[in-house]
Amino acid sequence: MAKITVRSGTQTRTLQGAQGETLLRLLTRHGVFLPARCGGRGTCKKCRVKLLSGSVEGASPDEEGFILACRARIAGDCTIEAESERGTGLEDFCFARRAQGRGEGLGAALDLGTTTLALLLADRSSGKVLAKESCLNPEAAFGSDVLSRIKACEDKKAVFEQQALVLVKTRELIERALAGRNETLTRLVVTGNPTMLHLFAGVDPTPIGSAPFTPVFLQERVFAGSELALPANEVLLLPSVSSYIGADVTADILAADLCSSKENVLLADLGTNGEMVLFSDGNLYAASTAAGPALEGACIECGTGGVEGAISRVRQTEQGFALETIGGAPPKGIAGSGLVDAVACLLRSGELDETGRLAKERVFFSPDVYLTQGDIRAFQLAKGAIRAGMRALLRHAGLREEELSRLLIAGGLGYHIDRASAATTGLIPPAWETRTHAVGNGSLYGGYLALLDEGCRAECGKIAARCKTLDLAADPAFSDDFMDGMLFE
């Protein structure tokens, strides 16, 4: 074992690392979270740490002394300087459907997102929300998207490494929410996409990653809390619909009470993945689009998730760009909502044309944060996939765009996005701007409803069985819609 001294902010810690282990894995295991959007392949170059003394294998310091933590393997004692990413998940929601407490004791709902975790503690008899807690998902060290994490699981040890990381963080969130209460939860309800649920349960998700894309389980699963070393009598994983339509979408549908609507309503959960559900004429049609992680800050040269210092708002003024950052910290990168604003600003100013050609090599928003032509293309790919998915759902239901009554946007990006910017960029049809409503974390709220009410829990199973999943790859019009959707209207 080697002694690794880690300086992070004002703290200095000494960790024990095994020979050959990467610094990224070591740091992640001990709660020092670095952005590793590429899953440790050395391509995103965002997990930089400064080597102050000693040496490592597999990575040579640049002229400033920085190395990539995902490439650097422990060779002996060394000292590094690492800035840990700090961020939170979306804990807010706004739904007309009200919860009715019918359970006993204290319970919690957990939204197990690809990027963040959000937990809600509630009194199950009154329905009163007692606390909310959230954090970054430590599994991000294995990649920013589900496919990266599935790929990592080809090494079977990674299944249990990822499970251990997320269970430790879940336990921390529960303990923080309980805030000194000497109680055990009667139930923990967990929502998330199928890959995240597989990893939470310690089940190998690799069958989801290749044809015929068959998950090990989709149905509701129940564990004793002791099986997962969690302070809960019972841990309930809500049911999923298909390989890429998970319990988070089931919970979204429950929270929005879609099945009781008399209108044509489209619900889009625009997080790391692009899942969407259309309710029309009593039918639920669902699709998942391969939008990629650009709208979460990955694949963007100066992109970042919802962490301190992330640019969340961009406005153009006579003096230049006016920025808002998370936590009011100095700009360190650009988040998804800021990216949508920035692209909208460039379109309005004429610095970006309808094909996506950028007039300059780089457009700077602060001395260290800029967008490149490659970033614009990544955004176009994401919006093209989302628009094509929306069109496919409408076409399958026999609807025209003007016949949609409401668009509900759930998830972190949707909650913070500016509707006018989304319409300007064509992320949503311009005619839908006034019909678009941000509803927040529907996955968390749906889990909360299932926590309080056995009727809502049973409804989740009925929703999952009722949903019809569209295979977009088999849709002959999808490719054309995708190419059209990449253009700026």
Side-chain angles (χ1 to χ4, degrees):
M1 299 294 283
K3 183 173 71 174
I4 312 301
T5 303
V6 182
R7 296 179 185 173
S8 181
T10 59
Q11 294 185 328
T12 299
R13 303 167 61 188
T14 299
L15 309 177
Q16 297 295 319
Q19 295 277 338
E21 182 179 18
T22 67
L23 287 177
L24 178 63
R25 290 287 179 90
L26 174 70
L27 294 171
T28 301
R29 199 168 66 248
H30 289 278
V32 181
F33 300 126
L34 303 176
R37 315 289 183 207
C38 66
R41 294 190 296 275
T43 56
C44 73
K45 303 187 185 304
K46 293 188 178 184
C47 63
R48 299 198 317 160
V49 298
K50 195 166 190 176
L51 184 63
L52 301 177
S53 66
S55 61
V56 295
E57 294 177 346
S60 300
D62 64 16
E63 57 188 23
E64 295 179 325
F66 285 99
I67 55 177
L68 296 182
C70 69
R71 300 285 88 189
R73 297 191 176 276
I74 296 169
D77 295 353
C78 65
T79 300
I80 61 171
E81 186 175 72
E83 182 182 354
S84 183
E85 256 195 342
R86 290 181 293 174
T88 59
L90 179 65
E91 305 163 356
D92 299 320
F93 36 72
C94 47
F95 291 94
R97 183 165 187 168
R98 293 293 139 217
Q100 295 183 358
R102 293 173 178 168
E104 295 181 358
L106 298 183
L110 173 69
D111 171 37
L112 180 55
T114 310
T115 305
T116 59
L117 309 183
L119 181 133
L120 174 156
L121 177 72
D123 183 318
R124 294 183 64 201
S125 61
S126 68
K128 183 179 180 181
V129 176
L130 303 175
K132 296 177 185 177
E133 296 289 343
S134 61
C135 65
L136 296 176
N137 188 335
E139 294 169 304
F142 291 81
S144 62
D145 54 50
V146 295
L147 292 179
S148 298
R149 296 182 200 175
I150 290 171
K151 179 71 174 174
C153 290
E154 291 176 3
D155 176 355
K156 300 308 177 187
K157 292 186 301 182
V159 176
F160 303 106
E161 288 175 345
Q162 293 189 66
Q163 182 194 31
L165 285 172
V166 77
L167 290 181
V168 165
K169 194 52 67 175
T170 298
R171 189 160 56 248
E172 288 178 8
L173 290 179
I174 292 171
E175 290 169 353
R176 276 162 41 188
L178 287 170
R181 294 183 178 93
N182 188 24
E183 295 187 56
T184 296
L185 302 179
T186 58
R187 175 180 290 172
L188 171 65
V189 174
V190 184
T191 66
N193 67 55
T195 299
M196 293 299 97
L197 294 181
H198 277 57
L199 291 171
F200 186 90
V203 176
D204 183 1
T206 52
I208 299 174
S210 58
F213 310 105
T214 305
V216 177
F217 69 93
L218 291 172
Q219 70 277 16
E220 175 185 288
R221 278 208 164 184
V222 182
F223 298 87
S226 57
E227 293 180 73
L228 302 172
L230 294 174
N233 295 337
E234 177 184 82
V235 179
L236 169 66
L237 277 57
L238 290 184
S240 298
V241 177
S242 58
S243 297
Y244 291 97
I245 304 292
D248 48 354
V249 178
T250 304
D252 277 335
I253 295 168
L254 177 71
D257 202 13
L258 275 193
C259 297
S260 297
S261 178
K262 304 299 182 185
E263 304 174 313
N264 299 317
V265 183
L266 178 61
L267 187 150
D269 193 329
L270 303 182
T272 305
N273 309 304
E275 297 111 343
M276 51 195 73
V277 178
L278 174 66
F279 180 77
S280 177
D281 196 26
N283 295 303
L284 284 170
Y285 305 101
S288 177
T289 58
L295 295 176
E296 289 284 335
C299 308
I300 304 300
E301 196 162 322
C302 295
T304 185
V307 301
E308 287 185 6
I311 297 171
S312 56
R313 288 280 182 272
V314 179
R315 295 289 179 269
Q316 200 154 25
T317 67
E318 292 182 359
Q319 290 74 39
F321 294 110
L323 309 176
E324 292 181 24
T325 65
I326 294 174
K332 64 176 292 185
I334 189 162
S337 58
L339 175 64
V340 177
D341 277 348
V343 173
C345 286
L346 296 175
L347 285 167
R348 292 178 187 126
S349 69
E351 293 179 81
L352 184 63
D353 69 18
E354 68 277 4
T355 69
R357 182 177 178 275
L358 197 58
K360 303 175 183 176
E361 183 178 344
R362 294 181 178 181
V363 176
F364 283 83
F365 298 91
S366 77
D368 299 316
V369 182
Y370 54 83
L371 287 183
T372 68
Q373 184 65 71
D375 297 335
I376 298 298
R377 295 301 183 214
F379 176 81
Q380 286 180 280
L381 289 170
K383 92 176 190 74
I386 289 168
R387 283 297 297 275
M390 290 177 174
R391 287 174 178 167
L393 286 170
L394 291 171
R395 184 168 53 249
H396 196 79
L399 296 176
R400 300 186 302 275
E401 283 190 356
E402 58 269 26
E403 293 180 286
L404 188 78
S405 304
R406 286 183 297 148
L407 169 63
L408 306 180
I409 303 185
L413 174 68
Y415 193 73
H416 296 290
I417 203 170
D418 181 87
R419 292 185 301 178
S421 293
T424 297
T425 61
L427 186 62
I428 63 173
W432 288 4
E433 181 180 341
T434 57
R435 306 177 211 173
T436 299
H437 309 276
V439 293
N441 194 334
S443 176
L444 182 62
Y445 192 73
Y448 165 64
L449 292 173
L451 170 70
L452 299 183
D453 190 335
E454 286 296 319
C456 289
R457 172 185 175 180
E459 192 176 337
C460 287
K462 294 175 183 176
I463 288 169
R466 187 174 175 179
C467 253
K468 303 172 185 176
T469 303
L470 272 63
D471 181 3
L472 297 180
D475 185 334
F478 182 81
S479 294
D480 289 339
D481 285 342
F482 176 74
M483 296 303 295
D484 288 344
M486 286 184 63
L487 296 172
F488 293 110
E489 301 177 11

